Amino acid sequence: MMTTADDVLGPGPAPQPTGKVKAFLRLVMIEHSVFALPFAYIASLTAMFRFDGNVHWGKLLLVTACMVGLRTFAMAANRIIDREIDARNPRTAGRELVTGAVSVRSAWTGAGIALAVFLGSAALLNPLCLLLAPLAVVPMVVYPYGKRFTNFPHAILGLAQAIGPIGAWMAVTGEWSWDAVILGLAVGVWIGGFDLIFGSQDVAADRAEGVKSVPARFGVAAALWGARAAHVVTTALLAWYALAADAGALFWFGLLIVVAAFLYEHTIVKPNDLSRLNRAFFTVNGFIGIALFACAVLDLAVRGLTL
């Protein structure tokens, strides 16, 4: 465990507990739950529609706790494992574990609490969710190590994210669903694709430190083409899911919005101009999840889901 300034010099004036919580939430970027959470809701609500046509709010709350808990654990573990790499990258040198705004001990404590929330919520859902919950944790821990042994850590991230919709469906039914697998694959390929875009800004630092990624190994242009291909596949998988789930016109309208957002995203990011990368990564991809979720919920409501 890396020694911090607090370990050597003493803690100094004790910060307010709310300040510690805010710093930890910044560390795990809690607002980024907007990327995967809408797709977990789509899976849960579709499963509820098929089950009895009613929204089960208690299960939806537990699905939320599972998703946020597991994602929070994954982000905290990622930051802890990568803290020395982050310290040598100018873009990430201001992260909370590097600056000392959050201690390693606090980060592990937060990660442990988040993991307990995830496992506890899975246990309250059904035996299958609890049985498979440990398997969902594995890729979350493997991912930050991936950049040390493969040029394709984005694929590991995609696998980790694909678990969300599958687990959310099982949370409702207690059974495996291939429809949920299709949706999960769409989410995984989507997030893996925009991770290719996001990783393009760190090419120089990654090459200097020996950090592996598609942009570092093959260049930014290749990474952006890979992202485009991934999002074409994402669109195809979402269309496949719509057919498998007998989705209505409103879901298909949402898919058109997703396609338009993808086209915009890939228009504003170019190999020689990454100045609008954050807009593509945060704004556009956040919009994609929310827009498709809104259309999916409206579609289910029109078809008879009782809210």
Side-chain angles (χ1 to χ4, degrees), residues 281-301:
F281 181 75
F282 299 113
T283 306
V284 176
N285 287 294
F287 170 78
I288 284 172
I290 293 171
L292 189 61
F293 168 68
C295 291
V297 170
L298 288 173
D299 181 62
L300 289 170

Side-chain angles (χ1 to χ4, degrees), residues 130-149:
L130 179 60
L131 178 66
L132 297 180
L135 296 179
V137 176
V138 173
M140 305 298 180
V141 177
V142 172
Y143 167 64
Y145 289 109
K147 63 178 69 73
R148 293 160 169 83
F149 64 82

Side-chain angles (χ1 to χ4, degrees), residues 179-244:
D179 290 354
V181 171
I182 297 170
L183 183 59
L185 287 174
V187 172
V189 175
W190 167 52
I191 290 181
F194 74 66
D195 192 55
L196 290 172
I197 299 174
F198 188 71
S200 295
Q201 64 189 316
D202 290 329
V203 168
D206 287 352
R207 287 173 175 170
E209 295 297 328
V211 174
K212 297 179 181 294
S213 71
V214 168
R217 173 64 179 83
F218 301 102
V220 173
L224 295 183
W225 275 110
R228 294 183 187 113
H231 291 159
V232 169
V233 173
T234 299
T235 302
L237 286 168
L238 287 174
W240 186 11
Y241 170 77
L243 293 171

Side-chain angles (χ1 to χ4, degrees), residues 58-60 62-63 66 120-127 129-130 167 170-172:
K59 285 192 175 181
L60 209 57
L62 288 173
V63 167
C66 280
S121 300
L124 291 172
L125 282 164
N126 57 60
C129 285
L130 179 60
M170 289 192 300
V172 175

Side-chain angles (χ1 to χ4, degrees), residues 25-281:
L25 293 178
R26 288 196 304 271
L27 174 77
V28 299
M29 304 180 79
I30 195 70
E31 68 277 9
H32 287 187
S33 299
V34 73
F35 292 144
L37 198 53
F39 291 89
Y41 288 153
I42 291 173
S44 293
L45 292 171
T46 303
M48 291 175 189
F49 173 71
R50 288 188 177 181
F51 178 66
D52 64 3
N54 295 304
V55 175
H56 298 261
W57 293 101
K59 285 192 175 181
L60 209 57
L61 179 62
L62 288 173
V63 167
T64 304
C66 280
M67 290 290 294
V68 174
L70 184 57
R71 187 201 166 278
T72 299
F73 165 78
M75 282 295 295
N78 190 320
R79 294 292 190 255
I80 293 166
I81 293 166
D82 278 354
R83 64 190 185 277
E84 294 183 2
I85 292 175
D86 287 345
R88 296 191 292 270
N89 183 336
R91 183 182 67 82
T92 57
R95 285 179 174 169
E96 288 73 15
L97 278 173
V98 178
T99 64
V102 175
S103 69
V104 174
R105 179 181 298 176
S106 294
W108 275 123
T109 300
I113 293 171
L115 183 60
V117 168
F118 167 65
L119 294 174
S121 300
L124 291 172
L125 282 164
N126 57 60
L128 183 61
C129 285
L130 179 60
L131 178 66
L132 297 180
L135 296 179
V137 176
V138 173
M140 305 298 180
V141 177
V142 172
Y143 167 64
Y145 289 109
K147 63 178 69 73
R148 293 160 169 83
F149 64 82
T150 176
N151 291 314
F152 304 95
H154 327 279
I156 303 174
L157 177 62
L159 173 63
Q161 298 298 326
I163 292 170
I166 300 171
W169 192 293
M170 289 192 300
V172 175
T173 65
E175 298 176 351
W176 183 263
S177 167
W178 288 108
D179 290 354
V181 171
I182 297 170
L183 183 59
L185 287 174
V187 172
V189 175
W190 167 52
I191 290 181
F194 74 66
D195 192 55
L196 290 172
I197 299 174
F198 188 71
S200 295
Q201 64 189 316
D202 290 329
V203 168
D206 287 352
R207 287 173 175 170
E209 295 297 328
V211 174
K212 297 179 181 294
S213 71
V214 168
R217 173 64 179 83
F218 301 102
V220 173
L224 295 183
W225 275 110
R228 294 183 187 113
H231 291 159
V232 169
V233 173
T234 299
T235 302
L237 286 168
L238 287 174
W240 186 11
Y241 170 77
L243 293 171
D246 295 320
L250 285 169
F251 186 94
W252 287 99
F253 176 70
L255 184 53
L256 288 178
I257 295 175
V258 170
V259 170
F262 279 153
L263 291 173
Y264 174 71
E265 177 180 34
H266 290 288
T267 299
I268 65 174
V269 179
K270 303 180 185 302
N272 58 351
D273 181 10
L274 300 177
S275 61
R276 292 183 288 182
L277 185 146
N278 282 337
R279 183 190 302 177
F281 181 75

